[in-house]
Amino acid sequence: MGQLDGKTALVTGANSGIGLATARRFAAEGAYVFLTGRRERELDEAVKSIVDAGGSSAVGGVTGIRGDVSDLGDLDRVMAAVAERGQGLDVLFTNAGGGSFLPLGEITPEHFDETFGTNVRGTLFTVQKALPLLNEGASVVLAGSTAAGKGTPAFSVYGATKAAIRSFARSWAAELADRGIRVNAIAPGPTETPGLRGLAPTPGQAPALLTAMARQVPLGRLGTPDEIAAAVLFLASDQSSFITGSELFADGGANQT
Ligand SMILES: NC(=O)c1ccc[n+]([C@@H]2O[C@H](COP(=O)([O-])OP(=O)(O)OC[C@H]3O[C@@H](n4cnc5c(N)ncnc54)[C@H](OP(=O)(O)O)[C@@H]3O)[C@@H](O)[C@H]2O)c1
C-alpha cells in the first residue's frame, strides 16, 4: 500500500531538484502525478525518469504539462488538463520558484518583479486556480525556505518572498479549513539541487559556495532532494491529518540551533 494510493497530485516546477524528487516519490507512493515546468525537454525527461523508476509496479500515472506559474494563461491550461482527468486534486505542491543574490543598493525592479512574480504571484494564482479542483480533505504544501526567517546578505528579496509564502500558509489554512483542506509550508535548508548550485556566480565557484553553506548546517552537510521529498510526503499524506497552517523545517538544524 502506497501512502498516496488512488490520489491525484500536482507538483509545479517538477523537472528539477526538489520538485522532481517529490513527484517521483509521490508516484512511487501510488499517486497519479501532474508535473509542470517551463523547459519542455527537461519536463519530458522528468516524466520518462518517473515512468522508468516505476518499472512493473507502474505508478498511478504521470503527465507533464509545460507551463510558467507566473503566466495566468499557462496556469489555466494546467488546471484544464487536471480537470480533464475528472478526479480533482488531492495534493498540490507549489514548488516552482527560485532566487538569486543581489545586495541592497543593487536591487532592480526586474529582480524584484521576477522573484516575486514566480515565488509569490505564482504560488498565489496556482492555489487560487486549483481551488475548484481541490477535493475535500486535500493537502496543499507550499515551498517556503529557511531564508524566510533568517537574514542572509544579498538574499533579501528571495527571503521576503518566502516570508510571504509562510504567511499564505497561515491565512489559507484558516480559509480552507471548512472544506477539510489543509495548507502547510515546507521550509528546506540548503539542499543540493541545480537551483542551489545556480546561486554561484560561475559554475566553477559552486563547489566552494556549497561547502560554505554545508558548514552553516548543524548536521554538517547539505540536504538531499529525497530528504525534502520525504518531508513533503508527510505533509501531503494522511500521516499529517491534524496539521495545518504550520511550517515544517527540513533543514539539518540550520534555523533551529
Ligand atoms: N535548494 C535549496 O537549497 C532550497 C532551499 C529552500 C527552498 N527551496 C525552494 O524549493 C523550490 C525548488 O528549488 P530547487 O532548489 O529544487 O530549484 P531548481 O533545481 O532550480 O528547480 C526549480 C524548479 O522550478 C521550476 N520553475 C522555476 N521558475 C518557474 C516558473 N516561473 N514557472 C514554472 N516552473 C518554474 C524549474 O523549471 P523550469 O526552469 O523549466 O521552469 C524547476 O523545475 C523553490 O521554491 C526554492 O525556492 C530550495
Side-chain angles (χ1 to χ4, degrees):
M1 277 280 287
Q3 292 190 54
L4 300 179
D5 270 346
K7 302 214 169 177
T8 306
L10 168 61
V11 181
T12 63
N15 62 20
S16 172
I18 291 168
L20 174 55
T22 305
R24 188 180 295 131
R25 182 71 195 270
F26 283 180
E29 294 290 343
Y32 190 104
V33 187
F34 289 94
L35 281 68
T36 78
R38 292 165 302 178
R39 290 166 300 159
E40 193 138 34
R41 189 168 57 85
E42 283 76 1
L43 192 62
D44 291 345
E45 283 166 8
V47 168
K48 185 171 180 314
S49 78
I50 291 172
V51 171
D52 290 349
S56 58
S57 67
V59 296
V62 52
T63 298
I65 313 162
R66 208 209 64 77
D68 182 337
V69 293
S70 61
D71 182 313
L72 299 185
D74 280 7
L75 286 176
D76 284 336
R77 272 195 307 104
V78 169
M79 299 310 164
V82 176
E84 171 106 352
R85 189 164 168 269
Q87 302 289 314
L89 267 183
D90 303 295
V91 177
L92 170 60
F93 179 30
T94 62
N95 167 77
S100 53
F101 290 129
L102 216 46
L104 190 59
E106 293 177 25
I107 293 168
T108 61
E110 292 75 20
H111 173 76
F112 178 91
D113 288 346
E114 188 186 339
T115 316
F116 269 78
T118 302
N119 296 0
V120 180
R121 188 176 188 271
T123 297
L124 164 57
F125 288 105
T126 299
V127 174
Q128 185 160 286
K129 285 180 180 290
L131 279 182
L133 292 168
L134 289 172
N135 296 325
E136 184 169 346
S139 171
V140 178
V141 183
L142 312 178
S145 170
T146 48
K150 199 166 184 159
T152 307
F155 221 28
S156 63
V157 173
Y158 176 79
T161 67
K162 295 300 185 177
I165 285 168
R166 173 66 188 99
S167 178
F168 280 160
R170 293 184 199 279
S171 302
W172 297 344
E175 281 188 58
L176 299 179
D178 62 353
R179 286 176 56 188
I181 297 169
R182 300 181 296 109
V183 185
N184 292 288
I186 178 79
T191 305
E192 194 161 356
T193 65
L196 191 73
R197 284 192 288 280
L199 287 175
T202 65
Q205 289 167 284
L209 177 72
L210 267 51
T211 301
M213 285 181 163
R215 274 203 207 103
Q216 310 281 320
V217 178
L219 287 182
R221 61 176 178 84
L222 302 175
T224 68
D226 285 345
E227 288 176 308
I228 308 305
V232 176
L233 173 64
F234 170 70
L235 291 174
S237 73
D238 293 342
Q239 296 294 315
S240 59
S241 54
F242 201 49
I243 300 177
T244 193
S246 79
E247 179 177 36
L248 175 60
F249 286 88
D251 68 349
N255 277 33
Q256 320 308 320
T257 54

